Amino acid sequence: MNNLNPRQQEAAKYINGPLLVLAGAGSGKTSVITRKIAYLIEECGIKAHKIYAVTFTNKAAREMKERVSKLVNGQAAKGLTVSTFHTLGLTMLRHELAASGLKNNFSILDSDDCQRLLSELLHKDNCPAADQKQALKYIIKKISDWKNDLIQPVQAVSTAQTKEDLVAAQVYEGYQRHLRAYNAVDFDDLIALPTRLLQENQAIREKWQDRVHYMLVDEYQDTNTAQYLMVKLLVGSNGRLTAVGDDDQSIYAWRGARPENMLELTKDYPNLKVIKLEQNYRSMARILNAANSVIGNNPHVFEKKLWSQHGLGEMIRIVTCPTDRDEAEYVANDLVTHKIMNRRTYKDYAILYRGNFQAKALETQLRELQVPYKLSGGTSFYARAEIKDVMCYLRLIINPTDDSAFLRIINTPKRSIGAVTLEKLGTYAQQRGVSLLTACTELGLGQALGQSKALVNLHEFAGWLEDHAREILESTDPVPRIRQLLSDIAYEDYIRETAPTPQGAEARLENINFLLNSVQGMINKAESEDDKSIETIIRKLVLIDLLDQQAEADDSDRVQLMTLHAAKGLEFPHVYMIGLEEELLPHRNSIDSDTVEEERRLMYVGITRAKQTLTLTLAERRKSGGDFRSTTPSRFLEELPQDELEWTGRRSQKTPQQKKQIGGAHLANLRALLNNS
């Protein structure tokens, strides 16, 4: 505890009731949470398996658990639960299978699987093709919102006030029936289902309240309705809870986050203690002054003001460029010059932006200068549709009970097996207690489906896959046989038909070829016969995929490019924020819907990522739809403390001679870089 400041110590040791820790950016909240866990175990005598710490990302959970393990003796920390909300929900469902109506081998559908199912249901409802894309997007968001608010399909139907909502509610009904028939859940169900069990089943609620002696929740401002209620039901009326959050960093309203949940705590627990962590250990004072000045324009329930002992630091630079291309060029050149002059590494720099489309021009400029970079938020190799398709065929070959894989590939490419048929197949499989693939081979399926073309297609698919599986699994050279499988289903034709452009089709086919060559390479490099088996290889690939999904940002020396949303929780010595223009930051949608407060919080998050220097850029003209349009500087620039800013460009106070000198020095540094490379 000695290395905590007085407010942090107070938060770590307070256990006399529910506690809300208002933790400003860079104020050491993770240290408080981990020290408090250690305090609960070592000083308060609470068994580790009775303590539950919950956050939103696997990365944050791993970091928290690693820190606790360094503070607490290994044996004493045994059984401690540090997880995401969704992992906790999954654990609860696995313990409450009977009450949830799920079976032991239930599947968790990913977003692609869910979208495909919803698309089929929408198509069945005869929605015009031209409207389907937009309708599907709306329905996906609406169903997620309903689940996050614990609204059942029947409630959604009865309360629908528009035609669009009624269609969405009806699709929601069918969607849930199909999920139940498939013995499957989606991502939102992992929270909604266990929360509903806690609500409706007193015995289950009391059992879990007995298990959870103390709960700590990180990033509390990001909780939605279901997550808030889950926590409330788990900790009980005594409020054995420490909630840590910052309402100024609530930037996920679009996925259901409710910063007002922090205010709700004061209503649910009149004895709630509030402790503010305002000392920032990350940033220079000028950066914090800028952050405080901007966020001060939002209304607040809880007032706080960040401060630092790191000194003033450099002036905040605001650079106006003629076009977005000039902006990208300026940032790339300036970054390289700063790196050389200050002997820094590339990973010390981050370039942040509102939308992913802004990265393209940056990538071009960085490549021209041979600057290594990492683009966060781009589609990983294993997340590409064509790779997931092939992987699901391979997964089903080595595990015929993998219902999630079955559902993805049964109609990829199309086999004239509709949503109604799959619903009946799922119901039959659940009744028989078998996998979907096994159900396809059983004679009893004919009674469920009738003698239809779909029945024949299912039988044929199962037999065809069995033949290929046998050949692939028994072969000492399986890759050519995998290629034959893809040839038999005319997958190349399917790719060419569905790709938006011929170039896109070629890129997808090349990805598949890369995957299969990788499989061959793993076989060639394997030292033992067991390692050469295709089952082992596929399991390794699945693990690579999972690790790829959960991977932390690597430590290689690369400039980080990411959206402001993706940057939350991270920090960098030197930060560039680009696109400080009206309709971009704040975004046009927020202006139209009068939700600029969240955009201001996004600006605050971006500013507080910077430790030493902060550069803000904007373009006077930005290309949109092939044409340039004039822009207006972001209102947030006017909210900054003007005496802490150094303007370059349209609002620059420098003389032409000074500008020329700076430009000459800039060019000389770039030449030096090129000569040394």
Side-chain angles (χ1 to χ4, degrees), residues 19 69 74 145 169 178 265 338 340 454 500:
L19 171 67
S69 66
D145 288 345
H178 279 72
L265 282 173
H338 190 277
I340 295 167

Side-chain angles (χ1 to χ4, degrees), residues 303-370:
E303 294 289 342
K304 67 178 185 307
K305 191 172 184 179
L306 296 179
W307 60 276
S308 167
Q309 293 181 331
H310 289 329
L312 266 179
E314 296 182 22
M315 298 282 278
I316 294 168
R317 295 187 300 161
I318 301 179
V319 182
T320 305
C321 303
T323 69
D324 49 343
R325 181 175 178 178
D326 295 316
E327 179 187 44
E329 185 177 356
Y330 171 84
V331 170
N333 289 340
D334 188 77
L335 187 154
V336 169
T337 301
H338 190 277
K339 174 188 178 293
I340 295 167
M341 294 180 70
N342 295 277
R343 299 185 177 182
R344 304 306 301 245
T345 59
Y346 284 119
K347 66 181 179 182
D348 289 334
Y349 298 84
I351 307 173
L352 311 181
Y353 37 80
R354 181 63 177 82
N356 278 309
F357 72 92
Q358 295 171 264
K360 188 176 179 181
L362 287 168
E363 289 189 84
T364 301
Q365 294 297 327
L366 292 171
R367 280 198 297 265
E368 284 186 13
L369 293 176
Q370 299 179 6

Side-chain angles (χ1 to χ4, degrees), residues 91-124:
T91 301
M92 293 173 69
L93 285 180
R94 284 174 173 163
H95 279 86
E96 310 298 343
L97 284 173
S100 67
L102 295 167
K103 293 188 176 180
N104 191 39
N105 62 340
F106 70 87
S107 300
I108 304 169
L109 303 191
D110 65 16
S111 57
D112 285 348
D113 295 330
C114 296
Q115 184 169 323
R116 185 177 289 102
L117 173 56
L118 287 166
S119 182
E120 289 282 347
L121 292 169
L122 193 58
H123 181 70
K124 190 179 77 172

Side-chain angles (χ1 to χ4, degrees), residues 52-244:
Y52 285 68
V54 188
T55 186
F56 281 84
T57 67
N58 288 317
K59 178 185 175 183
R62 285 195 300 274
E63 181 186 351
M64 209 177 288
K65 201 158 190 175
E66 286 167 5
R67 288 209 200 180
V68 172
S69 66
K70 293 175 182 176
L71 296 171
V72 181
N73 176 278
Q75 198 60 32
K78 193 174 180 181
L80 173 69
T81 295
V82 183
S83 72
T84 64
F85 269 103
H86 291 89
T87 302
L88 175 59
L90 178 60
T91 301
M92 293 173 69
L93 285 180
R94 284 174 173 163
H95 279 86
E96 310 298 343
L97 284 173
S100 67
L102 295 167
K103 293 188 176 180
N104 191 39
N105 62 340
F106 70 87
S107 300
I108 304 169
L109 303 191
D110 65 16
S111 57
D112 285 348
D113 295 330
C114 296
Q115 184 169 323
R116 185 177 289 102
L117 173 56
L118 287 166
S119 182
E120 289 282 347
L121 292 169
L122 193 58
H123 181 70
K124 190 179 77 172
D125 285 346
N126 297 315
C127 178
D131 301 334
Q132 277 199 19
K133 188 174 181 181
Q134 197 59 36
L136 184 61
K137 186 178 178 182
Y138 180 81
I139 288 168
I140 291 171
K141 175 68 165 63
K142 199 69 185 174
I143 291 176
S144 181
D145 288 345
W146 278 325
K147 290 192 176 189
N148 290 336
D149 289 335
L150 299 175
I151 294 172
Q152 302 264 41
V154 64
Q155 294 170 276
V157 171
S158 64
T159 58
Q161 295 183 343
T162 66
K163 183 183 176 182
E164 290 79 11
D165 282 358
L166 183 58
V167 171
Q170 290 167 341
V171 172
Y172 183 19
E173 277 189 315
Y175 175 66
Q176 288 302 106
R177 283 200 312 274
H178 279 72
L179 287 182
R180 186 53 56 97
Y182 297 159
N183 190 34
V185 296
D186 63 18
F187 202 58
D188 292 321
D189 285 331
L190 295 177
I191 305 296
L193 290 180
T195 301
R196 196 169 290 120
L197 285 177
L198 292 171
Q199 254 185 324
E200 299 171 355
N201 192 312
Q202 184 179 346
I204 290 175
R205 183 169 62 252
E206 290 175 352
K207 179 173 73 175
W208 280 93
Q209 286 179 353
D210 183 62
R211 290 186 178 186
V212 181
H213 192 91
Y214 201 92
M215 194 165 196
L216 304 98
V217 183
D218 191 18
E219 305 288 5
Y220 201 79
Q221 76 281 350
D222 293 335
T223 55
N224 59 36
T225 300
Q227 289 161 338
Y228 180 90
L229 191 55
M230 174 190 273
V231 171
K232 182 180 175 181
L233 291 167
L234 284 171
V235 302
S237 58
N238 293 329
R240 301 164 306 211
L241 169 70
T242 292
V244 182

Side-chain angles (χ1 to χ4, degrees), residues 516-527:
L516 297 180
N517 287 341
S518 299
V519 171
Q520 188 64 63
M522 293 171 75
I523 293 171
N524 295 342
K525 291 176 185 176
E527 295 181 357

Side-chain angles (χ1 to χ4, degrees), residues 78 149 289 303 425 473 574 636 646 661 673:
K78 193 174 180 181
D149 289 335
N289 292 344
E303 294 289 342
L425 174 67
L473 294 174
H574 309 286
F636 300 147
E646 181 181 88
Q661 289 173 346
L673 169 70

